[in-house]
Amino acid sequence: MRVHFIAIGGSVMHNLALALHHKGFDVTGSDDEFFEPSKSRLAACGLLPKENGWHPERITSELDAVILGMHAMNDNPELKKARELGIKVYSFPEYLYEQTKDKKRIVVGGSHGKTTTTSMIMHVLKTLGKKFDYMVGAQIEGFDTMVGLSKDAPIAVFEGDEYLSSTLDQTSKFLRYKPDVAIITGIAWDHINVFPTWDSYVGTFEKFASTIMPNGKYIYYGGDENLCKIASGVRSDVTAIPYNGLDYKVDGDNTIVCYNGKEYTVGVFGKHNMQDMNAAMLACEQVGIEPEQFLGAIESFSGAAKRLQTLKKGESGIAFLDFAHSPSKLKATTEAVRDRYKDKKLIACMELHTFSSLTKAFLPQYAHTMDAADEAYVYFNPEVIEHKRLEPINADEVAKAFEHKNLKVFTKSSELVKIIEDKSYDNAVILIMTSGNFDGVNIKELANKLIK
Protein backbone atom coordinates (compact mmCIF):
# COMPACT_ATOMS: atom_id res chain seq x y z
CA MET A 1 0.00 0.00 0.00
CA ARG A 2 1.22 3.49 -0.91
CA VAL A 3 -0.13 6.26 1.33
CA HIS A 4 0.65 10.00 1.31
CA PHE A 5 0.06 12.31 4.28
CA ILE A 6 -0.87 15.96 3.72
CA ALA A 7 0.29 17.67 6.97
CA ILE A 8 2.35 14.71 8.18
CA GLY A 9 4.01 16.73 10.94
CA GLY A 10 0.97 16.85 13.23
CA SER A 11 1.03 15.14 16.61
CA VAL A 12 -1.35 12.34 15.72
CA MET A 13 -0.69 12.39 11.98
CA HIS A 14 3.01 11.59 12.30
CA ASN A 15 2.19 8.79 14.74
CA LEU A 16 -0.18 7.24 12.21
CA ALA A 17 2.50 7.61 9.54
CA LEU A 18 4.99 5.78 11.77
CA ALA A 19 2.44 3.05 12.54
CA LEU A 20 1.76 2.42 8.83
CA HIS A 21 5.50 2.46 8.10
CA HIS A 22 6.05 -0.20 10.77
CA LYS A 23 3.16 -2.17 9.28
CA GLY A 24 5.02 -2.29 5.97
CA PHE A 25 3.27 0.48 4.02
CA ASP A 26 5.09 2.79 1.60
CA VAL A 27 4.58 6.14 3.36
CA THR A 28 5.32 9.66 2.10
CA GLY A 29 4.21 13.06 3.36
CA SER A 30 4.43 16.83 3.23
CA ASP A 31 4.00 19.75 5.62
CA ASP A 32 4.75 23.47 5.69
CA GLU A 33 6.59 23.27 9.04
CA PHE A 34 7.89 20.63 11.45
CA PHE A 35 8.42 20.71 15.21
CA GLU A 36 9.89 18.30 17.71
CA PRO A 37 9.40 15.50 18.47
CA SER A 38 7.69 14.70 15.15
CA LYS A 39 10.63 16.03 13.11
CA SER A 40 13.20 13.70 14.69
CA ARG A 41 10.87 10.72 14.82
CA LEU A 42 9.97 11.00 11.13
CA ALA A 43 13.64 11.48 10.21
CA ALA A 44 14.66 8.35 12.13
CA CYS A 45 12.36 6.28 9.91
CA GLY A 46 13.26 8.06 6.68
CA LEU A 47 9.86 9.74 6.43
CA LEU A 48 10.88 13.39 6.89
CA PRO A 49 10.52 15.28 3.56
CA LYS A 50 13.72 16.80 2.17
CA GLU A 51 12.08 20.22 2.10
CA ASN A 52 9.07 21.88 3.68
CA GLY A 53 6.00 22.95 1.75
CA TRP A 54 3.39 21.47 -0.55
CA HIS A 55 4.50 19.64 -3.67
CA PRO A 56 1.66 18.46 -5.93
CA GLU A 57 4.13 16.51 -8.06
CA ARG A 58 4.36 14.04 -5.16
CA ILE A 59 0.70 13.11 -5.75
CA THR A 60 0.58 10.45 -8.47
CA SER A 61 -1.91 7.84 -9.62
CA GLU A 62 0.26 5.18 -7.97
CA LEU A 63 -1.00 6.25 -4.53
CA ASP A 64 -3.66 4.08 -2.90
CA ALA A 65 -4.78 6.78 -0.48
CA VAL A 66 -4.17 10.31 0.77
CA ILE A 67 -4.67 11.17 4.45
CA LEU A 68 -5.55 14.79 5.19
CA GLY A 69 -4.49 16.51 8.41
CA MET A 70 -6.51 19.14 10.29
CA HIS A 71 -4.39 22.17 9.40
CA ALA A 72 -4.38 21.45 5.64
CA MET A 73 -6.78 23.89 4.01
CA ASN A 74 -9.32 23.18 1.29
CA ASP A 75 -7.17 24.95 -1.33
CA ASN A 76 -4.06 22.87 -0.56
CA PRO A 77 -2.29 22.16 -3.90
CA GLU A 78 -1.61 18.54 -3.02
CA LEU A 79 -5.27 18.03 -2.12
CA LYS A 80 -6.33 19.61 -5.42
CA LYS A 81 -4.04 17.21 -7.31
CA ALA A 82 -5.41 14.19 -5.43
CA ARG A 83 -8.95 15.23 -6.35
CA GLU A 84 -7.99 15.67 -10.01
CA LEU A 85 -6.55 12.15 -10.09
CA GLY A 86 -9.52 10.65 -8.27
CA ILE A 87 -7.42 9.32 -5.39
CA LYS A 88 -9.39 8.44 -2.26
CA VAL A 89 -8.86 11.12 0.43
CA TYR A 90 -9.38 10.11 4.06
CA SER A 91 -9.44 12.08 7.28
CA PHE A 92 -7.32 10.62 10.08
CA PRO A 93 -10.24 8.89 11.87
CA GLU A 94 -11.68 7.57 8.60
CA TYR A 95 -8.40 5.82 7.84
CA LEU A 96 -8.12 4.41 11.36
CA TYR A 97 -11.54 2.83 10.89
CA GLU A 98 -10.54 1.54 7.46
CA GLN A 99 -7.56 -0.22 9.04
CA THR A 100 -9.59 -1.76 11.88
CA LYS A 101 -13.08 -2.35 10.46
CA ASP A 102 -12.74 -6.13 10.92
CA LYS A 103 -11.64 -5.84 14.57
CA LYS A 104 -13.56 -5.38 17.82
CA ARG A 105 -13.28 -1.65 18.50
CA ILE A 106 -13.31 -0.09 21.99
CA VAL A 107 -13.70 3.70 21.74
CA VAL A 108 -13.35 5.99 24.75
CA GLY A 109 -15.11 9.36 24.55
CA GLY A 110 -15.90 12.12 27.01
CA SER A 111 -14.96 15.69 27.88
CA HIS A 112 -12.40 14.49 30.43
CA GLY A 113 -10.59 11.28 31.38
CA LYS A 114 -10.54 9.68 27.95
CA THR A 115 -6.74 9.61 27.60
CA THR A 116 -6.32 8.06 31.05
CA THR A 117 -9.09 5.50 30.50
CA THR A 118 -7.69 4.53 27.08
CA SER A 119 -4.19 4.24 28.58
CA MET A 120 -5.43 1.98 31.36
CA ILE A 121 -7.08 -0.38 28.87
CA MET A 122 -3.92 -0.46 26.75
CA HIS A 123 -1.69 -1.12 29.76
CA VAL A 124 -3.81 -4.04 30.95
CA LEU A 125 -4.10 -5.61 27.50
CA LYS A 126 -0.33 -5.39 27.02
CA THR A 127 0.45 -6.67 30.52
CA LEU A 128 -1.80 -9.70 29.93
CA GLY A 129 -0.28 -10.41 26.54
CA LYS A 130 -3.31 -9.51 24.40
CA LYS A 131 -2.72 -8.30 20.84
CA PHE A 132 -4.43 -5.00 19.98
CA ASP A 133 -4.26 -1.93 17.77
CA TYR A 134 -4.54 1.48 19.39
CA MET A 135 -4.65 5.26 19.18
CA VAL A 136 -4.20 7.45 22.25
CA GLY A 137 -3.64 11.17 22.72
CA ALA A 138 -0.53 11.05 24.91
CA GLN A 139 2.75 9.21 25.20
CA ILE A 140 2.27 6.06 27.29
CA GLU A 141 5.03 4.21 29.10
CA GLY A 142 5.81 0.97 27.27
CA PHE A 143 4.59 2.24 23.89
CA ASP A 144 6.91 3.85 21.33
CA THR A 145 4.13 5.59 19.40
CA MET A 146 0.65 6.97 20.05
CA VAL A 147 -0.76 4.82 17.23
CA GLY A 148 -0.25 1.10 16.68
CA LEU A 149 -1.65 -0.96 13.79
CA SER A 150 -1.18 -4.62 12.91
CA LYS A 151 -2.50 -7.25 10.54
CA ASP A 152 -3.62 -9.83 13.09
CA ALA A 153 -4.70 -8.10 16.33
CA PRO A 154 -8.40 -8.85 17.01
CA ILE A 155 -8.97 -5.73 19.15
CA ALA A 156 -8.58 -1.98 18.54
CA VAL A 157 -8.63 0.62 21.34
CA PHE A 158 -9.14 4.26 20.37
CA GLU A 159 -9.34 7.51 22.28
CA GLY A 160 -12.41 9.14 20.75
CA ASP A 161 -12.14 12.90 20.32
CA GLU A 162 -15.30 14.95 19.67
CA TYR A 163 -13.38 17.60 17.70
CA LEU A 164 -13.64 17.85 13.88
CA SER A 165 -12.00 15.23 11.65
CA SER A 166 -10.50 17.51 8.97
CA THR A 167 -11.21 20.59 6.85
CA LEU A 168 -13.18 18.37 4.49
CA ASP A 169 -14.76 16.16 7.13
CA GLN A 170 -16.62 18.42 9.55
CA THR A 171 -17.92 15.61 11.75
CA SER A 172 -16.59 14.70 15.20
CA LYS A 173 -13.70 12.25 14.99
CA PHE A 174 -15.35 9.65 17.19
CA LEU A 175 -18.36 9.43 14.87
CA ARG A 176 -16.09 7.67 12.34
CA TYR A 177 -15.04 4.76 14.55
CA LYS A 178 -18.30 2.73 14.89
CA PRO A 179 -17.46 1.16 18.26
CA ASP A 180 -18.45 -2.29 19.46
CA VAL A 181 -17.79 -1.00 22.98
CA ALA A 182 -18.30 2.72 23.58
CA ILE A 183 -17.32 4.54 26.78
CA ILE A 184 -18.38 8.08 27.68
CA THR A 185 -16.70 9.38 30.83
CA GLY A 186 -18.71 12.58 31.21
CA ILE A 187 -19.92 15.67 29.37
CA ALA A 188 -18.75 19.21 30.17
CA TRP A 189 -19.09 21.90 27.50
CA ASP A 190 -15.94 22.50 25.44
CA HIS A 191 -14.80 23.45 21.90
CA ILE A 192 -17.28 26.31 21.63
CA ASN A 193 -15.83 27.32 18.25
CA VAL A 194 -17.35 24.07 16.90
CA PHE A 195 -20.23 23.61 19.38
CA PRO A 196 -21.53 27.13 20.09
CA THR A 197 -24.32 25.89 22.38
CA TRP A 198 -24.57 23.35 25.17
CA ASP A 199 -27.23 21.43 23.23
CA SER A 200 -25.03 21.15 20.14
CA TYR A 201 -22.19 19.79 22.28
CA VAL A 202 -24.36 17.19 24.01
CA GLY A 203 -25.84 16.33 20.62
CA THR A 204 -22.54 15.03 19.24
CA PHE A 205 -22.31 12.55 22.16
CA GLU A 206 -25.86 11.43 21.41
CA LYS A 207 -24.77 10.78 17.84
CA PHE A 208 -21.73 8.89 19.11
CA ALA A 209 -23.97 6.52 21.08
CA SER A 210 -26.08 5.96 17.97
CA THR A 211 -22.99 4.74 16.05
CA ILE A 212 -22.44 1.75 18.35
CA MET A 213 -22.42 -1.47 16.34
CA PRO A 214 -25.29 -4.01 16.61
CA ASN A 215 -25.29 -5.87 19.96
CA GLY A 216 -22.66 -3.44 21.25
CA LYS A 217 -22.07 -1.98 24.71
CA TYR A 218 -22.52 1.59 26.00
CA ILE A 219 -20.47 2.10 29.18
CA TYR A 220 -21.16 5.42 30.88
CA TYR A 221 -20.57 7.35 34.09
CA GLY A 222 -23.78 7.00 36.07
CA GLY A 223 -23.27 10.30 37.91
CA ASP A 224 -23.80 12.34 34.72
CA GLU A 225 -27.46 13.08 34.06
CA ASN A 226 -26.84 13.70 30.37
CA LEU A 227 -25.21 10.30 29.96
CA CYS A 228 -28.10 8.67 31.82
CA LYS A 229 -30.51 10.35 29.42
CA ILE A 230 -28.49 9.10 26.44
CA ALA A 231 -28.50 5.60 27.99
CA SER A 232 -32.29 5.61 28.14
CA GLY A 233 -32.43 6.25 24.40
CA VAL A 234 -29.91 3.75 23.03
CA ARG A 235 -31.17 1.13 20.57
CA SER A 236 -32.73 -2.02 22.01
CA ASP A 237 -29.84 -4.17 20.77
CA VAL A 238 -27.26 -2.07 22.69
CA THR A 239 -26.55 -2.87 26.36
CA ALA A 240 -26.11 0.18 28.59
CA ILE A 241 -23.71 -0.35 31.52
CA PRO A 242 -23.35 2.41 34.16
CA TYR A 243 -20.42 2.84 36.56
CA ASN A 244 -19.65 5.16 39.46
CA GLY A 245 -16.05 4.47 40.40
CA LEU A 246 -14.14 1.77 42.26
CA ASP A 247 -14.02 1.75 46.05
CA TYR A 248 -10.65 2.82 47.40
CA LYS A 249 -8.79 4.02 50.47
CA VAL A 250 -5.63 6.01 51.09
CA ASP A 251 -2.90 4.58 53.31
CA GLY A 252 0.05 6.95 53.62
CA ASP A 253 1.45 7.42 50.12
CA ASN A 254 -0.59 4.52 48.73
CA THR A 255 -3.98 4.42 47.04
CA ILE A 256 -5.59 1.03 47.52
CA VAL A 257 -8.50 -0.26 45.44
CA CYS A 258 -10.87 -2.55 47.34
CA TYR A 259 -12.72 -5.15 45.27
CA ASN A 260 -14.46 -8.37 46.32
CA GLY A 261 -12.60 -8.52 49.62
CA LYS A 262 -9.17 -8.05 48.04
CA GLU A 263 -6.90 -5.00 47.98
CA TYR A 264 -4.83 -3.71 45.07
CA THR A 265 -2.24 -0.93 45.43
CA VAL A 266 -2.35 1.33 42.37
CA GLY A 267 -0.05 4.05 41.05
CA VAL A 268 -2.68 6.75 40.42
CA PHE A 269 -4.91 8.64 42.84
CA GLY A 270 -8.07 10.70 43.02
CA LYS A 271 -11.76 10.04 42.61
CA HIS A 272 -11.69 10.78 38.87
CA ASN A 273 -8.96 8.18 38.33
CA MET A 274 -11.01 5.60 40.21
CA GLN A 275 -13.93 6.40 37.89
CA ASP A 276 -11.72 6.02 34.82
CA MET A 277 -10.36 2.73 36.19
CA ASN A 278 -13.90 1.43 36.65
CA ALA A 279 -14.74 2.26 33.03
CA ALA A 280 -11.54 0.60 31.79
CA MET A 281 -12.26 -2.52 33.84
CA LEU A 282 -15.77 -2.83 32.37
CA ALA A 283 -14.40 -2.39 28.84
CA CYS A 284 -11.79 -5.10 29.40
CA GLU A 285 -14.52 -7.45 30.61
CA GLN A 286 -16.03 -7.19 27.11
CA VAL A 287 -12.87 -8.78 25.65
CA GLY A 288 -12.64 -11.59 28.17
CA ILE A 289 -10.59 -10.08 31.01
CA GLU A 290 -11.96 -10.74 34.50
CA PRO A 291 -11.97 -7.89 37.06
CA GLU A 292 -9.36 -9.61 39.23
CA GLN A 293 -7.07 -10.00 36.21
CA PHE A 294 -7.59 -6.35 35.35
CA LEU A 295 -6.82 -5.12 38.86
CA GLY A 296 -3.71 -7.29 39.14
CA ALA A 297 -2.42 -5.80 35.89
CA ILE A 298 -3.39 -2.19 36.64
CA GLU A 299 -1.23 -2.15 39.78
CA SER A 300 1.81 -1.45 37.57
CA PHE A 301 0.14 1.42 35.67
CA SER A 302 1.90 4.72 36.39
CA GLY A 303 -0.27 7.06 34.30
CA ALA A 304 -0.10 8.86 30.97
CA ALA A 305 2.23 11.76 30.19
CA LYS A 306 0.93 15.10 31.51
CA ARG A 307 -1.94 13.39 33.36
CA LEU A 308 -1.06 14.11 37.01
CA GLN A 309 2.52 13.35 36.03
CA THR A 310 5.02 13.62 38.89
CA LEU A 311 7.71 16.07 37.76
CA LYS A 312 9.76 16.19 40.95
CA LYS A 313 9.40 14.75 44.43
CA GLY A 314 11.49 16.07 47.29
CA GLU A 315 11.65 15.43 51.01
CA SER A 316 8.49 17.39 51.73
CA GLY A 317 7.47 19.04 48.43
CA ILE A 318 6.18 17.66 45.15
CA ALA A 319 5.42 19.05 41.68
CA PHE A 320 2.77 17.68 39.29
CA LEU A 321 2.04 18.46 35.65
CA ASP A 322 -1.41 17.94 34.17
CA PHE A 323 -3.00 18.60 30.78
CA ALA A 324 -6.06 20.11 32.48
CA HIS A 325 -7.33 23.25 30.75
CA SER A 326 -11.13 22.96 30.56
CA PRO A 327 -13.25 23.70 33.64
CA SER A 328 -14.22 20.09 34.40
CA LYS A 329 -10.62 18.85 34.08
CA LEU A 330 -9.31 21.72 36.18
CA LYS A 331 -11.78 21.06 39.00
CA ALA A 332 -11.28 17.26 39.03
CA THR A 333 -7.48 17.50 39.01
CA THR A 334 -7.24 20.19 41.67
CA GLU A 335 -9.66 18.35 43.96
CA ALA A 336 -7.80 15.06 43.45
CA VAL A 337 -4.50 16.59 44.58
CA ARG A 338 -6.19 18.34 47.52
CA ASP A 339 -7.80 15.06 48.62
CA ARG A 340 -4.51 13.17 48.27
CA TYR A 341 -2.36 15.72 50.14
CA LYS A 342 -4.68 17.09 52.81
CA ASP A 343 -1.81 18.09 55.09
CA LYS A 344 0.18 20.04 52.48
CA LYS A 345 -0.24 23.52 51.10
CA LEU A 346 -1.60 23.31 47.53
CA ILE A 347 -0.42 25.89 44.99
CA ALA A 348 -2.24 25.51 41.65
CA CYS A 349 -1.12 27.23 38.47
CA MET A 350 -2.93 27.03 35.12
CA GLU A 351 -2.73 28.52 31.63
CA LEU A 352 -5.72 29.67 29.59
CA HIS A 353 -4.58 28.50 26.19
CA THR A 354 -7.42 27.01 24.11
CA PHE A 355 -10.03 28.79 21.99
CA SER A 356 -12.79 28.07 24.52
CA SER A 357 -10.78 29.09 27.59
CA LEU A 358 -9.86 32.45 26.02
CA THR A 359 -13.43 33.28 24.95
CA LYS A 360 -15.05 35.92 27.17
CA ALA A 361 -18.48 34.30 27.12
CA PHE A 362 -16.98 30.97 28.25
CA LEU A 363 -14.96 32.31 31.20
CA PRO A 364 -17.82 32.00 33.77
CA GLN A 365 -17.59 28.21 33.31
CA TYR A 366 -14.39 28.40 35.40
CA ALA A 367 -16.18 29.59 38.56
CA HIS A 368 -14.86 27.74 41.66
CA THR A 369 -12.85 25.23 39.60
CA MET A 370 -9.68 25.96 41.63
CA ASP A 371 -11.32 26.35 45.05
CA ALA A 372 -9.46 23.31 46.39
CA ALA A 373 -6.15 25.18 46.05
CA ASP A 374 -4.78 27.35 48.85
CA GLU A 375 -3.24 29.66 46.28
CA ALA A 376 -4.22 29.86 42.60
CA TYR A 377 -2.45 31.46 39.65
CA VAL A 378 -3.84 31.90 36.13
CA TYR A 379 -1.84 32.94 33.09
CA PHE A 380 -2.93 34.00 29.61
CA ASN A 381 -1.20 35.73 26.73
CA PRO A 382 -3.18 38.61 25.16
CA GLU A 383 -1.27 38.07 21.89
CA VAL A 384 -2.74 34.56 21.61
CA ILE A 385 -6.22 36.04 21.97
CA GLU A 386 -5.45 38.49 19.18
CA HIS A 387 -4.04 35.69 17.02
CA LYS A 388 -7.22 33.65 17.52
CA ARG A 389 -9.25 36.76 16.62
CA LEU A 390 -11.19 36.69 19.85
CA GLU A 391 -12.68 39.53 21.86
CA PRO A 392 -10.04 40.89 24.27
CA ILE A 393 -10.21 39.92 27.94
CA ASN A 394 -8.37 41.44 30.90
CA ALA A 395 -6.96 40.15 34.17
CA ASP A 396 -9.84 41.52 36.26
CA GLU A 397 -12.41 39.68 34.13
CA VAL A 398 -10.49 36.43 34.50
CA ALA A 399 -10.14 36.83 38.26
CA LYS A 400 -13.84 37.57 38.61
CA ALA A 401 -14.76 34.50 36.55
CA PHE A 402 -12.77 32.07 38.75
CA GLU A 403 -14.26 33.42 42.00
CA HIS A 404 -11.26 32.33 44.10
CA LYS A 405 -10.26 34.52 47.04
CA ASN A 406 -6.51 33.84 46.68
CA LEU A 407 -6.21 33.93 42.91
CA LYS A 408 -3.80 36.11 40.93
CA VAL A 409 -3.81 36.57 37.16
CA PHE A 410 -0.74 37.16 34.98
CA THR A 411 -0.30 38.17 31.35
CA LYS A 412 3.50 37.80 31.33
CA SER A 413 4.87 34.33 31.99
CA SER A 414 8.16 35.75 33.33
CA GLU A 415 6.27 37.50 36.15
CA LEU A 416 4.41 34.32 37.02
CA VAL A 417 7.62 32.27 37.07
CA LYS A 418 9.29 34.79 39.38
CA ILE A 419 6.39 34.61 41.85
CA ILE A 420 6.51 30.82 41.82
CA GLU A 421 10.28 30.65 42.22
CA ASP A 422 10.21 32.97 45.24
CA LYS A 423 7.93 30.64 47.20
CA SER A 424 8.86 27.96 49.70
CA TYR A 425 7.79 24.41 48.88
CA ASP A 426 8.44 22.95 52.29
CA ASN A 427 5.41 20.72 52.93
CA ALA A 428 3.75 21.99 49.74
CA VAL A 429 2.48 20.73 46.40
CA ILE A 430 2.61 22.72 43.19
CA LEU A 431 0.18 21.64 40.51
CA ILE A 432 0.91 23.00 37.02
CA MET A 433 -1.95 22.65 34.54
CA THR A 434 -1.77 23.53 30.85
CA SER A 435 -2.26 22.26 27.31
CA GLY A 436 0.60 24.56 26.28
CA ASN A 437 3.88 25.59 27.94
CA PHE A 438 3.31 29.10 29.34
CA ASP A 439 4.93 30.58 26.22
CA GLY A 440 8.20 28.70 26.22
CA VAL A 441 8.74 27.87 29.89
CA ASN A 442 10.67 24.61 30.41
CA ILE A 443 8.29 23.18 32.98
CA LYS A 444 10.50 20.25 33.98
CA GLU A 445 13.45 22.55 34.64
CA LEU A 446 11.20 24.84 36.65
CA ALA A 447 10.01 21.91 38.80
CA ASN A 448 13.63 20.92 39.49
CA LYS A 449 14.34 24.44 40.73
CA LEU A 450 11.30 24.54 42.99
CA ILE A 451 11.47 21.15 44.66
CA LYS A 452 14.63 20.26 46.57
Side-chain angles (χ1 to χ4, degrees), residues 105-137:
R105 291 174 304 285
I106 300 172
V107 182
V108 183
S111 304
H112 41 254
K114 52 184 176 287
T115 300
T116 299
T117 305
T118 307
S119 305
M120 288 177 173
I121 297 170
M122 289 168 54
H123 177 85
V124 169
L125 291 175
K126 182 176 182 179
T127 301
L128 297 178
K130 304 286 187 181
K131 288 185 176 181
F132 63 99
D133 293 350
Y134 63 90
M135 187 279 290
V136 64

Side-chain angles (χ1 to χ4, degrees), residues 113-379:
K114 52 184 176 287
T115 300
T116 299
T117 305
T118 307
S119 305
M120 288 177 173
I121 297 170
M122 289 168 54
H123 177 85
V124 169
L125 291 175
K126 182 176 182 179
T127 301
L128 297 178
K130 304 286 187 181
K131 288 185 176 181
F132 63 99
D133 293 350
Y134 63 90
M135 187 279 290
V136 64
Q139 197 63 49
I140 309 301
E141 186 176 340
F143 295 86
D144 293 331
T145 58
M146 293 157 59
V147 180
L149 296 170
S150 65
K151 296 177 182 178
D152 57 348
I155 303 166
V157 183
F158 296 156
E159 178 178 337
D161 186 1
E162 69 271 23
Y163 202 73
L164 302 180
S165 297
S166 75
T167 54
L168 297 184
D169 186 359
Q170 295 284 296
T171 56
S172 294
K173 292 186 182 78
F174 62 15
L175 299 183
R176 296 299 183 190
Y177 296 141
K178 302 179 183 178
D180 297 283
V181 179
I183 297 173
I184 307 184
T185 59
I187 301 178
W189 191 23
D190 200 359
H191 306 306
I192 66 169
N193 54 321
V194 176
F195 307 103
T197 66
W198 167 250
D199 288 343
S200 65
Y201 187 68
V202 174
T204 201
F205 288 93
E206 293 173 342
K207 291 175 184 176
F208 175 55
S210 73
T211 66
I212 298 172
M213 296 294 284
N215 302 310
K217 303 293 191 296
Y218 167 58
I219 298 171
Y220 67 99
Y221 175 53
D224 188 311
E225 61 181 20
N226 293 287
L227 298 185
C228 292
K229 184 177 179 181
I230 291 173
S232 67
V234 295
R235 299 190 316 272
S236 60
D237 64 293
V238 173
T239 303
I241 306 172
Y243 67 90
N244 285 289
L246 296 173
D247 290 333
Y248 71 101
K249 63 182 181 180
V250 177
D251 183 9
D253 283 341
N254 297 320
T255 296
I256 301 170
V257 171
C258 309
Y259 186 83
N260 276 355
K262 295 183 179 180
E263 296 184 347
Y264 304 85
T265 302
V266 296
V268 294
F269 63 89
K271 185 185 298 184
H272 67 301
N273 273 321
M274 297 304 105
Q275 292 169 0
D276 295 342
M277 194 175 292
N278 199 167
M281 187 172 79
L282 289 169
C284 285
E285 277 194 85
Q286 310 310 314
V287 292
I289 296 172
E290 296 298 324
E292 289 79 8
Q293 289 179 292
F294 174 91
L295 292 167
I298 204 68
E299 284 187 299
S300 58
F301 176 73
S302 58
K306 299 182 180 179
R307 272 68 180 180
L308 269 179
Q309 176 184 353
T310 303
L311 291 179
K312 182 71 179 294
K313 191 170 186 179
E315 289 185 7
S316 63
I318 186 168
F320 288 104
L321 173 63
D322 197 272
F323 192 71
H325 53 84
S326 67
S328 61
K329 295 174 185 176
L330 204 64
K331 182 176 174 64
T333 302
T334 308
E335 290 181 351
V337 176
R338 173 75 289 160
D339 184 60
R340 178 66 182 78
Y341 296 97
K342 292 183 174 68
D343 60 337
K344 293 183 183 292
K345 182 178 182 179
L346 174 54
I347 301 167
C349 177
M350 74 86 60
E351 177 181 14
L352 297 173
H353 182 70
T354 64
F355 187 99
S356 295
S357 69
L358 292 169
T359 301
K360 182 179 288 191
F362 190 78
L363 279 177
Q365 302 292 320
Y366 284 97
H368 304 294
T369 54
M370 297 176 79
D371 281 3
D374 298 298
E375 296 178 14
Y377 299 96
V378 176
Y379 168 73

